[in-house]
Amino acid sequence: MKKLVILSGAGISAESGISTFRDSDGLWEKYPVMQVASIEGYEADPELVINFYNERRKQLLDVKPNQGHVLCAELEKYFDVTVVTQNVDNLHERAGSHKIIHLHGELTKVCSSYNPNNPRYIRELKPEEFEVKMGDKAGDGSQLRPFIVWFGEDVPRIGDAACEAEKADIFVIIGTSMNVYPAAGLLNYVSYNADVYLIDPKDVRINTDRKITHIKKGASEGMKELMRLIV
């Protein structure tokens, strides 16, 4: 069975109604980036940051996977599929994908403020627990914080993602600007013998001389087109 790796970004979840950070009406417009997505911002005002992610977490209760997510899962009937996502939502999981690498963390999980990547203190929240409060403690006594990789923090799963990219017979880029590193560098690990597809309605500048098939459609329509081409 051929290996297919999908690198997904905010564009695939935008169709489900989740605001993207970089669009003109995105979340960065409401909050300075470093205020809510850096360790410095968290240390300066942990309550503001915790409440910001509480609101984002509650948004998950009102949104559903779209056809793009569903078709990513459906590809498992034909290929050995790994989804590498820059998204922190759980829409790929809810759509039925089984092998998912979250590069930037997971919104539905919390962790230790002292050591965010210590698996002993990473916990999945049930929907009724989505409101984290100041004073809620991890197992090591520190404040529970969102299990999110903030600017300036290590991306602990990038090595796993690079290993998957190296094995890809087909590599699909969907809904990402390819501006955010280290995720954007994953294409460098993909074999020149692999077929590469880009799904994005806009022009995306990718610094490579390799052949890329650009499907100029949104996530759902683009995934339908991809299915027609490869299945």
Side-chain angles (χ1 to χ4, degrees):
M1 189 177 265
K2 282 188 173 180
K3 179 77 186 173
L4 188 150
V5 177
I6 297 166
L7 173 61
S8 74
I12 193 171
S13 292
E15 284 187 26
S16 291
I18 291 183
S19 301
T20 66
F21 279 123
R22 282 174 174 74
D23 288 345
S24 57
D25 60 346
L27 292 167
W28 285 156
E29 295 296 308
K30 302 183 184 75
Y31 297 89
V33 177
M34 302 312 280
Q35 189 175 28
V36 293
S38 72
I39 190 64
E40 293 81 8
Y42 177 65
E43 288 171 350
D45 193 342
E47 189 165 16
L48 179 139
V49 175
I50 284 169
N51 285 335
F52 173 80
Y53 289 96
N54 283 342
E55 291 306 310
R56 293 199 64 201
R57 213 175 280 117
K58 285 184 209 159
Q59 187 187 23
L60 292 181
L61 300 173
D62 300 322
V63 298
K64 293 178 180 170
N66 61 59
Q67 191 72 8
H69 295 107
V70 171
L71 291 176
C72 285
E74 199 167 305
L75 282 169
E76 292 183 13
K77 294 177 185 172
Y78 312 99
F79 302 97
D80 173 11
V81 179
T82 299
V83 176
V84 178
T85 187
Q86 296 167 270
N87 300 335
V88 297
D89 61 59
N90 60 358
L91 296 178
H92 279 298
E93 283 89 345
R94 285 162 58 189
S97 288
H98 290 93
K99 287 198 282 188
I100 305 165
I101 295 172
H102 280 272
L103 290 179
H104 297 159
E106 296 177 65
L107 192 52
T108 58
K109 292 182 179 179
V110 286
C111 59
S112 157
S113 287
Y114 295 150
N115 187 354
N117 296 309
N118 187 330
R120 289 175 60 193
Y121 307 123
I122 297 169
R123 185 159 67 84
E124 176 92 30
L125 297 175
K126 300 185 181 110
E128 60 270 22
E129 302 173 307
F130 276 6
E131 179 91 25
V132 176
K133 297 183 174 65
M134 291 299 293
D136 290 347
K137 297 284 198 289
D140 61 359
S142 69
Q143 170 66 42
L144 279 177
R145 60 158 264 188
F147 182 55
I148 301 291
V149 177
W150 287 325
F151 286 104
E153 293 187 309
D154 289 335
V155 180
R157 300 213 63 192
I158 192 64
D160 297 335
C163 286
E164 293 298 302
E166 283 177 340
K167 294 184 278 189
D169 298 299
I170 301 171
F171 191 76
V172 180
I173 303 161
I174 177 168
T176 172
S177 64
M178 297 299 280
N179 285 331
V180 178
Y181 285 84
L186 287 174
L187 186 58
N188 297 329
Y189 292 88
V190 179
S191 162
Y192 259 78
N193 296 323
D195 295 322
V196 179
Y197 295 87
L198 168 68
I199 298 172
D200 199 296
K202 302 173 188 165
D203 287 323
V204 177
R205 188 175 294 172
I206 300 178
N207 188 20
T208 182
D209 59 354
R210 71 182 302 148
K211 181 178 181 290
I212 296 177
T213 302
H214 187 179
I215 300 172
K216 279 191 122 174
K217 294 181 177 179
S220 293
E221 289 305 313
M223 281 300 296
K224 287 180 193 170
E225 178 71 17
L226 179 75
M227 295 286 278
R228 285 194 288 271
L229 291 172
I230 68 173
V231 173

